[in-house]
Amino acid sequence: MTHDTNHAHKVLVINGGSSSFKYQVLDMGSERRLCQGLVERIGSPDSVLTHKRWPGTEREEKFVYKDDYSNHNAGMRAVASVLLDPARGGVIDSAADLTAVGHRVLLGGPEYTEVLVNDRVKDVIREYSPLGPLHNPANLTGIEVMEEIFPSLPNVAVFDTGFHTTMPDYAYTYAIPRQLAAKYRIRRYGFHGTSHRYISHEAAKLLGRPADQVNLITCHLGNGCSICAVRQGRSVDTSMGLTPLEGLVMGTRSGSIDPAILTYLMQREHYSGTDLNTLLNKQSGLRGLCGHNDMRDVEAARDAGDENAALAMNMFVYSLRKYIGSYFPVLGRVDGIVFTGGIGENAPEVRSRACADMDALGIRLDEDLNAGRVSQAKKISTADSSVQVFVIPTDEELEIARATLRVLDQASASQKAHA
Ligand code: AMP
């Protein structure tokens, strides 16, 4: 980073959804989180703003504001007034204390990774809304509201698809007629990009090498699950596709299934597109198999003798092992495997079974190091494992804030070059 670390660069990060949004303010001199919060149930009478502040490194202060936040604009205005008021949880004296606002945006197509927002960028976010109907419009609203509230601040869009724009054409193209694919922009985009990027950079630090010299398999296992093949620091393949439905078995999503199942169900059950979307995104995965979508509940049910839960667990691990195995020939040489996300950080059984009996691939887990939940980055492979295995808690907000400063640095460098 070229920023002067003696000077405080505070970045506001906005991670918006359709009826809620999360935010953080980070001091990028120390990369320390100063506050974070969540506005939930926007548009409903019981909407609520929950805000936490860390005045010292240890002490946490929590503030809860219940109000009728009728839309994102009202919610964001409420957040802005909290940020500016020291008695209500504030961390800035004025907008001038902030360097920029970084926004997580779902889909930017193949064009954008991280970029300073202008009208063209907003058009692209709008153009990709049909592929991300729950997120892209909400992300755009977040940007527009911030432009209104803090007109002097630059807004940076950091796309969830951005890290995967480096995939080669044979990895991102689907074998359907090219014209149709072009007409509807159908290709693999991949998601969880900020998380895969963050954990691959952190893993490179643990390996003691520059990020552009390491080959990794990064596993983001949370409510949504995706895996990424990282060659020399760049994504070359990932399990999620046009949407976050493809790939691994997930909490409520089916992951990859034979596409003919859809046409068969349409014929037999007369399902519409909307029905199929709901079926595959909300009623499938672990939930469809055993009724539970939270891995903790699946494990508990399995331990209590529920055979469906045992099958769900076996399938979750099996799909993960198949992807890990398939990325070895994709990468040629694998330096490390990284686990993150709610399941990746907290479920030692999943990590252990994902890496079991892989001596032939050079993977050996140290079961003592692997035991328990992991709250700080650590290595969990044996000293003689040729592939190092890590658990690294992800931090998407920090990655978005880093990307925001990178974009500003690049913008000011190119301005100087043209001056
Ligand atoms: P995320 O989307 O990254 O917040 O991950 C949420 C998911 O992590 C939950 O739905 C659980 O399935 C899983 N999870 C959280 N804590 C644990 C735990 N202690 N053991 C197993 N799974 C967990």
Side-chain angles (χ1 to χ4, degrees):
M1 194 181 302
T2 59
H3 271 89
D4 173 5
T5 45
N6 294 321
H7 189 277
H9 294 280
K10 290 179 187 161
V11 174
L12 170 61
V13 172
I14 304 278
N15 183 352
S18 52
S19 65
S20 67
F21 66 88
K22 294 190 277 188
Y23 62 89
Q24 285 190 10
V25 176
L26 296 103
D27 179 318
M28 294 308 285
S30 58
E31 294 200 328
R32 195 168 77 83
R33 185 177 46 181
L34 301 175
C35 71
Q36 74 175 41
L38 167 71
V39 182
E40 290 171 280
R41 298 189 288 276
I42 294 170
S44 102
D46 59 346
S47 49
V48 57
L49 189 177
T50 315
H51 178 85
K52 287 181 191 165
R53 169 172 73 173
W54 291 269
T57 41
E58 297 297 322
R59 195 160 56 90
E60 176 180 295
E61 292 174 344
K62 187 172 173 183
F63 305 80
V64 177
Y65 300 106
K66 292 194 172 137
D67 206 333
D68 186 358
Y69 305 118
S70 54
N71 52 34
H72 281 69
N73 197 322
M76 287 184 182
R77 283 191 186 278
V79 169
S81 81
V82 167
L83 295 180
L84 287 160
D85 183 348
R88 298 173 66 227
V91 294
I92 52 170
D93 296 326
S94 73
D97 282 352
L98 293 173
T99 309
V101 188
H103 298 262
R104 179 183 191 178
V105 184
L106 184 75
L107 247 163
E111 212 170 324
Y112 290 128
T113 54
E114 48 202 39
V115 65
L116 200 57
V117 173
N118 58 25
D119 287 344
R120 167 82 193 119
V121 173
K122 286 196 254 181
D123 284 345
V124 168
I125 297 173
R126 224 171 268 122
E127 280 164 27
Y128 279 93
S129 287
L131 288 172
L134 293 180
H135 290 91
N136 267 34
N139 302 149
L140 186 58
T141 303
I143 291 171
E144 289 175 339
V145 173
M146 279 298 140
E147 286 175 337
E148 261 179 67
I149 299 179
F150 296 125
S152 58
L153 290 182
N155 285 273
V156 172
V158 181
F159 294 93
D160 223 28
T161 49
F163 184 55
H164 305 297
T165 53
T166 46
M167 284 186 288
D169 56 3
Y170 51 82
Y172 70 66
T173 307
Y174 290 107
I176 58 170
R178 309 253 4 221
Q179 272 176 322
L180 201 59
K183 183 173 176 189
Y184 293 109
R185 301 186 161 119
I186 296 172
R187 51 163 275 171
R188 178 182 311 286
Y189 292 107
F191 297 87
H192 291 145
T194 48
S195 179
H196 288 295
R197 178 171 187 147
Y198 176 81
I199 58 173
S200 49
H201 277 237
E202 295 304 304
K205 287 184 202 163
L206 294 173
L207 285 161
R209 278 194 258 159
D212 62 4
Q213 284 176 26
V214 294
N215 287 5
L216 300 164
I217 299 173
T218 51
C219 311
H220 180 112
L221 310 175
N223 277 319
C225 299
S226 72
I227 180 162
C228 181
V230 180
R231 188 192 294 133
Q232 298 182 334
R234 299 167 134 231
S235 168
V236 289
D237 202 356
T238 189
S239 57
M240 284 180 169
L242 175 74
T243 73
L245 180 58
E246 194 182 341
L248 298 163
V249 172
M250 306 178 218
T252 62
R253 292 174 230 163
S254 63
S256 297
I257 58 170
D258 181 347
I261 294 170
L262 309 191
T263 44
Y264 186 62
L265 283 176
M266 286 165 90
Q267 285 159 6
R268 302 302 300 248
E269 291 279 326
H270 306 292
Y271 278 153
S272 67
T274 311
D275 294 336
L276 286 173
N277 251 331
T278 307
L279 179 82
L280 298 177
N281 279 297
K282 303 231 156 86
Q283 299 164 348
S284 295
L286 298 174
R287 175 181 285 167
L289 290 164
C290 71
H292 304 288
N293 62 289
D294 189 308
M295 186 53 86
R296 286 165 287 202
D297 300 333
V298 179
E299 284 179 8
R302 187 270 321 268
D303 293 345
D306 181 333
E307 285 180 10
N308 288 330
L311 175 65
M313 184 78 185
N314 291 344
M315 288 174 64
F316 184 90
V317 170
Y318 186 63
S319 78
L320 180 57
R321 287 172 64 83
K322 284 212 289 192
Y323 266 102
I324 291 175
S326 71
Y327 284 168
F328 272 74
V330 168
L331 293 172
R333 183 198 83 222
V334 178
D335 302 310
I337 297 177
V338 190
F339 291 98
T340 199
I343 298 173
E345 292 163 33
N346 299 311
E349 180 186 337
V350 170
R351 298 191 297 258
S352 168
R353 290 179 62 186
C355 296
D357 304 322
M358 292 215 196
D359 253 26
L361 294 176
I363 306 169
R364 282 200 193 145
L365 218 59
D366 181 322
E367 289 299 343
D368 290 333
L369 293 176
N370 181 51
R373 300 169 62 175
V374 174
S375 57
Q376 273 186 335
K378 78 177 216 190
K379 184 172 134 177
I380 56 168
S381 48
T382 60
D384 65 352
S385 181
S386 55
V387 176
Q388 300 199 32
V389 185
F390 302 103
V391 184
I392 301 179
T394 196
D395 194 337
E396 289 169 290
E397 278 77 12
L398 175 56
E399 182 57 39
I400 291 168
R402 286 177 179 171
T404 300
L405 292 191
R406 273 199 297 274
V407 167
L408 295 185
D409 279 344
Q410 282 156 9
S412 75
S414 88
Q415 233 172 16
K416 274 183 203 145
H418 288 99

